[in-house]
């Protein structure tokens, strides 16, 4: 099962991808998480990526495409995978299509979670992520059982550096300009499924499961 998650920053890609990965026993591959892990470890890739991420801009395609193509050829991807945050430009989608076509494969499900811009800023300011395991919470919509403490591993919950209101606005502009055109790309390929992401987290997940079967 090869799945990609589309949607604006804060639409709920990560929240849903984690649950899908668990339910279908396939790896959750988030390029944002990969870059954040590299930033934390102080790698060269992390240093380069951070320059763009802090400004709300996309990391250049050449730093992303090979990394993802290598990752999806690892053994744990044999049964499939869920890509979260990739592709997010037309050249990235083309690079993915070409890499898959070499093995006679394609993306089977492109799940687009739709949330209007007005709802996004509020969602981002309330997001809290676990600094150790990356679990995602929201102070209002998905609160942890104990304040500032991860339900999964007990780690500390933190705000992401790029969730400041000005940076979120820039990320939304970048989304509309560079990533939204992928909706038409996957519609044409026949794999697009659009979901109303303003519904409750559990309802969104049920709808995704009914699509994936
Ligand atoms: P990335 O980490 O991918 O961020 P993003 O796409 O901006 O999306 P987010 O992770 O912010 O949101 P999400 O949709 O996962 O929402 P979440 O589930 O957390 O990328 C970060 C940066 O890395 C980019 O800006 C770029 O610089 C770089 N990058 C990454 N990939 C790249 C690529 N391929 N090419 C180039 N650059 C790349 O939910 C948000 C909040 O809402 C949470 O608090 C959650 O609890 C809550 N929530 C979720 N669903 C609901 C719901 N249904 N109702 C109410 N609240 C909800
Ligand atoms: Mg995410
Ligand atoms: Zn945790």
């Amino acid at each position: 099962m090869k799945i990609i998650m589309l949607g604006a920053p804060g639409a709920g890609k990560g929240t849903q991808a984690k649950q899908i990965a668990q339910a279908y026993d396939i790896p959750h591959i988030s390029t944002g998480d990969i870059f954040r892990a590299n930033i934390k470890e102080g790698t060269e890739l992390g240093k380069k990526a951070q320059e763009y991420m802090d400004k709300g801009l996309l990391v250049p395609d050449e730093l992303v495409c090979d990394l993802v193509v290598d990752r999806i050829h690892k053994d744990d991807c044999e049964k499939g995978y869920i890509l979260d945050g990739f592709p997010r430009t037309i050249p990235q989608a083309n690079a993915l299509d070409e890499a898959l076509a070499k093995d006679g494969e394609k993306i089977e499900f492109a799940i687009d979670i739709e949330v209007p811009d007005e709802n996004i800023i509020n969602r981002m300011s309330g997001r809290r992520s676990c600094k150790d395991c990356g679990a995602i919470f929201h102070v209002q919509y998905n609160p942890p059982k104990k304040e500032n403490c991860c339900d999964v591993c007990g780690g500390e919950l933190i705000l992401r550096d790029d969730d400041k209101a000005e940076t979120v606005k820039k990320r939304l502009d970048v989304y509309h300009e560079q990533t939204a055109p992928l909706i038409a790309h996957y519609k044409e390929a026949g794999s697009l499924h659009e979901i109303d992401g303003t519904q409750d987290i559990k309802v969104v997940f049920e709808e995704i499961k009914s699509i994936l079967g």
Side-chain angles (χ1 to χ4, degrees):
M1 191 175 269
K2 297 181 182 62
I3 309 167
I4 64 164
M5 302 299 294
L6 293 173
K13 301 182 295 296
T15 299
Q16 298 299 332
K18 282 179 197 296
Q19 297 184 65
I20 299 166
Q22 210 170 18
Y24 293 88
D25 194 25
I26 49 175
H28 166 209
I29 302 169
S30 156
T31 40
D33 287 352
I34 294 172
F35 291 137
R36 282 184 287 277
N38 274 274
I39 291 172
K40 207 170 159 187
E41 287 161 22
T43 67
E44 272 314 303
L45 175 65
K47 280 178 200 150
K48 283 186 199 153
Q50 188 167 22
E51 282 177 38
Y52 298 91
M53 290 169 78
D54 282 350
K55 295 183 189 132
L57 301 173
L58 294 182
V59 175
D61 291 337
E62 56 271 25
L63 293 180
V64 192
C65 291
D66 291 351
L67 182 144
V68 175
V69 170
D70 285 350
R71 179 66 189 86
I72 62 175
H73 284 97
K74 300 259 191 257
D75 288 348
D76 65 337
C77 290
E78 240 160 55
K79 272 187 7 191
Y81 42 79
I82 171 151
L83 293 175
D84 159 14
F86 181 92
R88 61 209 288 165
T89 64
I90 291 287
Q92 289 182 18
N94 290 337
L96 178 64
D97 289 349
E98 280 163 29
L100 289 171
K102 278 187 194 153
D103 302 318
E105 294 171 346
K106 64 183 177 73
I107 290 298
E108 297 158 83
F109 300 98
I111 309 280
D112 176 32
I113 307 185
E114 299 195 322
V115 175
D117 288 7
E118 307 86 86
N119 303 28
I120 297 288
I121 306 268
N122 173 32
R123 278 205 189 177
M124 299 307 222
S125 61
R127 170 163 56 192
R128 299 291 180 275
S129 315
C130 174
K131 95 179 185 340
D132 297 325
C133 78
I136 305 163
F137 300 90
H138 192 282
V139 291
Q140 188 182 349
Y141 307 122
N142 183 22
K145 293 196 179 77
K146 198 174 140 202
E147 203 179 329
N148 273 324
C149 179
C150 175
D151 289 356
V152 182
C153 76
E156 185 195 345
L157 302 185
I158 52 167
L159 272 149
R160 249 169 61 178
D161 288 340
D162 57 350
D163 279 351
K164 292 190 237 30
E166 325 81 85
T167 319
V168 171
K169 284 195 192 112
K170 184 69 204 168
R171 284 162 61 200
L172 275 172
D173 289 345
V174 168
Y175 166 77
H176 288 295
E177 220 170 274
Q178 299 191 59
T179 308
L182 295 186
I183 295 171
H185 178 93
Y186 287 101
K187 195 171 198 170
E188 206 168 300
S191 45
L192 184 73
H193 296 270
E194 291 169 298
I195 293 186
D196 174 3
T198 63
Q199 306 173 97
D200 189 84
I201 292 174
K202 290 194 185 74
V203 178
V204 175
F205 184 51
E206 286 308 316
E207 289 198 5
I208 294 177
K209 277 200 295 190
S210 71
I211 291 164
L212 300 177

